[in-house]
Amino acid sequence: MVQKAESIWFDGKLVPWDQAQVHVLTHTLHYGCGVFEGIRAYRLTGGGSAVYRLKEHIHRHFNSAKIMEMKIPFTEAEICDAVIATLKANKLAEGYIRPLSFIGAGAMGVFPGDNPIQTIIATWPWGAYLGDEALEKGIRVKTSTFTRHHVNVMMTKAKTVGNYCNSILAKREALADGYHEALMLDTEGYVSEASGENIFIVRGGRIKTTPLTSILDGLTRNTLIALARDLGYEVIEERFTRDELYSADEAFFCGTAAEVTPIREVDRRTIGEGKAGAVAKHIQREYFKIVKGENPKYDAWLDKYDI
């Protein structure tokens, strides 16, 4: 359950949590044309807090809106400032941030006409997305019967509300079958991503990740590519198949919510030694140093604030 906070930023104003409401004829509620982001704030080891890659997340949010032909009536800088203001109003030193822009009520039908574009920012405490044990021991994954979107069916580079019906179906199926997460293939049968995470595999010390074809351009993915290369690993962006994943030495998911989550099993096949591998653990440790302000090389990615 989402833990209730004091306020939600709604179209330029902080309003009480229970008053952040919309009409039942809100266009996005019916037709799914809205865009959102998932962002995290962390307590810094040296004191204070920081939002991780705030500007990049908000820039992607505006790009998603542009792709979906939604004109957000605020600037990127104003939304960045609003994120910090919401965290401070809720006295949240660490947690999850959800900006959402949606088409409001007015015209009904597929064409939204001149309906207003509205934006909210909600924040709440949130720990490990797949559980603390998942970060340490790794998770079990099932290849979904549902295929990831084709690039000319849905706009895969937009973080669009309606795209996630595909993810919901895959996630429900995986959980019902006793797994932690779903792996999704693209329309040609290559590994795409999970229901809400990007994927990496490790073979012979070399790291491979799906290229930006059918997948969302994940900011955590972008971080890990840069980090792994800085750590001396060879990283390749190249399509790979399920059987290549099955025979990998290691595999792990990444995302703002999932952070760096090792994979110990896929479709009943043990991956590597059946636990978090050395490369995944190394990258995971270094990733948490970055977001907690312990590696000054990456301080430009931190928007710092105090409660």
Side-chain angles (χ1 to χ4, degrees):
M1 295 290 290
V2 172
Q3 185 175 325
K4 179 177 173 180
E6 183 177 325
S7 302
I8 289 176
W9 189 93
F10 198 148
D11 285 344
K13 296 185 293 184
L14 286 164
V15 301
W17 180 280
D18 291 329
Q19 293 178 26
Q21 299 177 2
V22 297
H23 196 275
V24 293
L25 293 183
T26 295
H27 195 275
T28 298
L29 181 62
H30 292 256
Y31 297 104
C33 186
V35 296
F36 71 98
E37 278 295 318
I39 314 173
R40 275 193 188 264
Y42 291 88
R43 293 181 189 270
L44 300 177
T45 301
S49 300
V51 182
Y52 188 63
R53 300 196 72 170
L54 173 60
K55 295 178 183 67
E56 292 94 332
H57 275 286
I58 298 306
H59 184 63
R60 186 175 67 178
H61 186 71
F62 274 73
N63 278 342
S64 294
K66 181 179 182 180
I67 290 167
M68 302 310 296
E69 297 190 281
M70 297 169 59
K71 175 76 173 163
I72 297 174
F74 298 95
T75 66
E76 293 185 32
E78 286 172 330
I79 297 299
C80 287
D81 289 344
V83 167
I84 300 297
T86 308
L87 288 164
K88 288 183 174 182
N90 290 330
K91 300 178 179 59
L92 194 63
E94 185 170 63
Y96 194 74
I97 304 151
R98 170 53 53 85
L100 167 71
S101 295
F102 59 95
I103 303 173
M108 187 51 65
V110 172
F111 180 62
D114 294 327
N115 292 20
I117 306 301
Q118 299 183 265
T119 299
I120 66 97
I121 299 166
T123 66
W124 61 86
W126 205 10
Y129 178 61
L130 295 168
D132 291 325
E133 185 175 285
L135 293 176
E136 181 61 33
K137 296 182 179 179
I139 61 172
R140 299 177 64 245
V141 177
K142 170 188 170 65
T143 300
S144 179
T145 63
F146 297 97
T147 302
R148 206 50 158 166
H149 297 298
H150 185 278
V151 295
N152 206 35
V153 171
M154 294 295 285
M155 299 289 95
T156 60
K157 298 300 173 288
K159 198 169 174 68
T160 305
V161 173
N163 283 2
Y164 281 78
C165 287
N166 183 240
S167 295
I168 291 167
L169 290 168
K171 183 82 171 189
R172 280 180 165 168
E173 178 185 61
L175 293 179
D177 288 343
Y179 293 84
H180 298 100
E181 184 55 281
L183 174 72
M184 307 189 75
L185 307 180
D186 66 21
T187 53
E188 295 182 67
Y190 289 90
V191 171
S192 178
E193 57 188 348
S195 68
E197 303 92 7
N198 295 127
I199 186 170
F200 289 78
I201 63 172
V202 183
R203 299 185 75 187
R206 188 170 70 168
I207 301 172
K208 185 182 289 189
T209 190
T210 311
L212 296 176
T213 50
S214 61
I215 69 170
L216 186 71
D217 188 0
L219 285 164
T220 308
R221 172 188 178 277
N222 175 274
T223 294
L224 297 193
I225 290 172
L227 172 62
R229 286 173 176 162
D230 286 348
L231 293 172
Y233 294 104
E234 180 183 2
V235 182
I236 300 169
E237 296 179 71
E238 181 180 273
R239 296 169 97 185
F240 56 91
T241 57
R242 253 193 306 169
D243 42 8
E244 190 172 351
L245 168 60
Y246 293 156
S247 59
D249 300 325
E250 300 181 38
F252 54 94
F253 287 139
C254 75
T256 296
E259 297 165 313
V260 183
T261 300
I263 299 167
R264 70 173 189 260
E265 179 186 319
V266 180
D267 298 338
R268 303 185 310 279
R269 280 93 164 171
T270 299
I271 304 301
E273 297 180 0
K275 61 182 180 180
V279 174
K281 292 297 289 181
H282 185 198
I283 291 173
Q284 185 189 76
R285 284 194 305 273
E286 296 303 318
Y287 175 76
F288 281 118
K289 287 180 184 178
I290 291 173
V291 300
K292 294 178 180 179
E294 296 175 12
N295 189 335
K297 178 177 180 179
Y298 302 95
D299 269 0
W301 284 342
L302 302 176
D303 275 77
K304 299 178 182 180
Y305 68 98
D306 291 300
I307 297 300

